Amino acid sequence: MVEKTGRPAYLQIVDELRAQIRAGSLPPGTALPSIAQLCERFEVSASVVKSAISVLRTEGLVVGQQGKGVFVREAPASTVEPEPSGINAEILDQLTQMRASVKELGDRLAALESAVFPKPK
Amino acid sequence: MVEKTGRPAYLQIVDELRAQIRAGSLPPGTALPSIAQLCERFEVSASVVKSAISVLRTEGLVVGQQGKGVFVREAPASTVEPEPSGINAEILDQLTQMRASVKELGDRLAALESAVFPKPK
DNA sequence: CTTGACAACTTAGAATTCCAAGCGTTCCAT
DNA sequence: ATGGAACGCTTGGAATTCTAAGTTGTCAAG
């Protein structure tokens, strides 16, 4: 699958995956093959696959979840506008991270609470 | 410039450069500082700077020319609405402050945790 | 003066190696 | 039987190293 065209390998993988997403063979909500599997399929190193997934992430086509996988976004909505929603994408990204941080704080607080105030059950 | 928030270093650099481009201190057509210079300024490795520039490239904000440099794209064209950008800047600013607050809460929680759960590590 | 070689600097792509963190399962001991 | 520890798989971030290729400037030889 190396396809020795002049096109960089990671962009070829981006094209491939983007096409599969658009064609519906990777419907929204489904997980992409794991990085290791993609490495094997395309016969490239992990860095190439990571670069490709990174592009798809900044394009908003997929979202990665640590420990689970990379999932096709539910609402692709306005397909890949390079610049128009740059700031909005930025804000959404930061909000995502903030939500994760707050959730993590909540979890830790809950753990502390159940340690300090034993469960009255 | 490391800014020990939870935000990854390469995204912090993306934010910084994007802000400078939008603010006009890096007008269209000008070259960004070289990767080596950015490494020095932000005190990170080349891989981080490369990641940041890669994001800006896929966002279409800059274009790289081998052997010369990375240049701010002419004509961002697609409507950089003045009003919303002000609002968005405001939101981004508040997000920054929130990130700091969350970080501080995390630190205090960590202190509490190590007091309640002694570390036998 | 012109031309060619060369060195220095630049981005781009790729590989490899770590480490951190999250999730899910298994499995064992209390 | 249920709770918790351990393990394996996963993504994410970062550093380092290498190669390729393009630009620019210098400098010496013809």
Side-chain angles (χ1 to χ4, degrees):
Chain A
M1 197 56 86
V2 281
E3 289 198 18
K4 54 191 176 304
T5 81
R7 195 154 178 76
Y10 79 100
L11 285 183
Q12 291 181 37
I13 297 179
V14 167
D15 293 340
E16 172 92 12
L17 295 179
R18 202 196 281 118
Q20 288 188 18
I21 291 174
R22 247 191 271 278
S25 71
L26 283 175
T30 62
L32 269 57
S34 77
I35 291 179
Q37 289 172 333
L38 290 175
C39 286
E40 205 176 89
R41 182 202 296 183
F42 293 105
E43 293 176 344
V44 293
S45 73
S47 75
V48 176
V49 174
K50 279 184 169 186
S51 295
I53 289 180
S54 175
V55 170
L56 292 176
R57 264 193 296 141
T58 76
E59 282 181 353
L61 281 179
V62 301
V63 288
Q65 289 188 37
Q66 271 185 335
K68 296 186 69 176
V70 179
F71 298 85
V72 180
R73 267 261 303 261
E74 291 294 345
S78 50
T79 51
V80 187
E81 332 94 72
E83 51 260 82
S85 73
I87 292 186
N88 286 336
E90 171 69 14
I91 290 176
L92 287 179
D93 188 48
Q94 297 203 18
L95 273 176
T96 296
Q97 301 220 359
M98 288 265 322
R99 246 184 279 119
S101 297
V102 169
K103 174 180 182 301
E104 189 235 343
L105 285 181
D107 290 343
R108 285 162 63 187
L109 236 189
L112 253 187
E113 284 169 346
S114 60
V116 175
F117 309 115
K119 314 187 167 188
K121 184 179 288 186
Chain B
M1 196 57 86
V2 281
E3 287 199 16
K4 55 193 178 304
T5 81
R7 195 155 177 76
Y10 80 100
L11 285 183
Q12 290 182 36
I13 296 179
V14 168
D15 293 341
E16 172 92 12
L17 294 178
R18 201 195 283 116
Q20 287 189 19
I21 292 174
R22 241 190 278 277
S25 69
L26 283 175
T30 62
L32 268 58
S34 78
I35 291 179
Q37 289 172 333
L38 290 175
C39 285
E40 206 176 88
R41 180 202 296 182
F42 293 104
E43 294 176 342
V44 293
S45 74
S47 74
V48 175
V49 173
K50 279 184 167 186
S51 296
I53 290 181
S54 175
V55 170
L56 292 176
R57 264 193 295 141
T58 78
E59 281 181 355
L61 282 178
V62 300
V63 288
Q65 289 187 36
Q66 270 185 337
K68 296 187 71 175
V70 178
F71 298 85
V72 179
R73 256 230 342 229
E74 300 284 351
S78 56
T79 61
V80 196
E81 334 80 45
E83 294 309 314
S85 84
I87 294 177
N88 285 334
E90 174 72 20
I91 291 177
L92 284 176
D93 191 51
Q94 297 201 19
L95 273 175
T96 298
Q97 301 198 9
M98 281 197 52
R99 248 187 282 121
S101 298
V102 168
K103 173 70 166 56
E104 193 233 341
L105 285 181
D107 291 342
R108 286 165 60 189
L109 233 191
L112 247 188
E113 284 168 344
S114 59
V116 174
F117 309 118
K119 316 186 158 185
K121 174 128 190 248

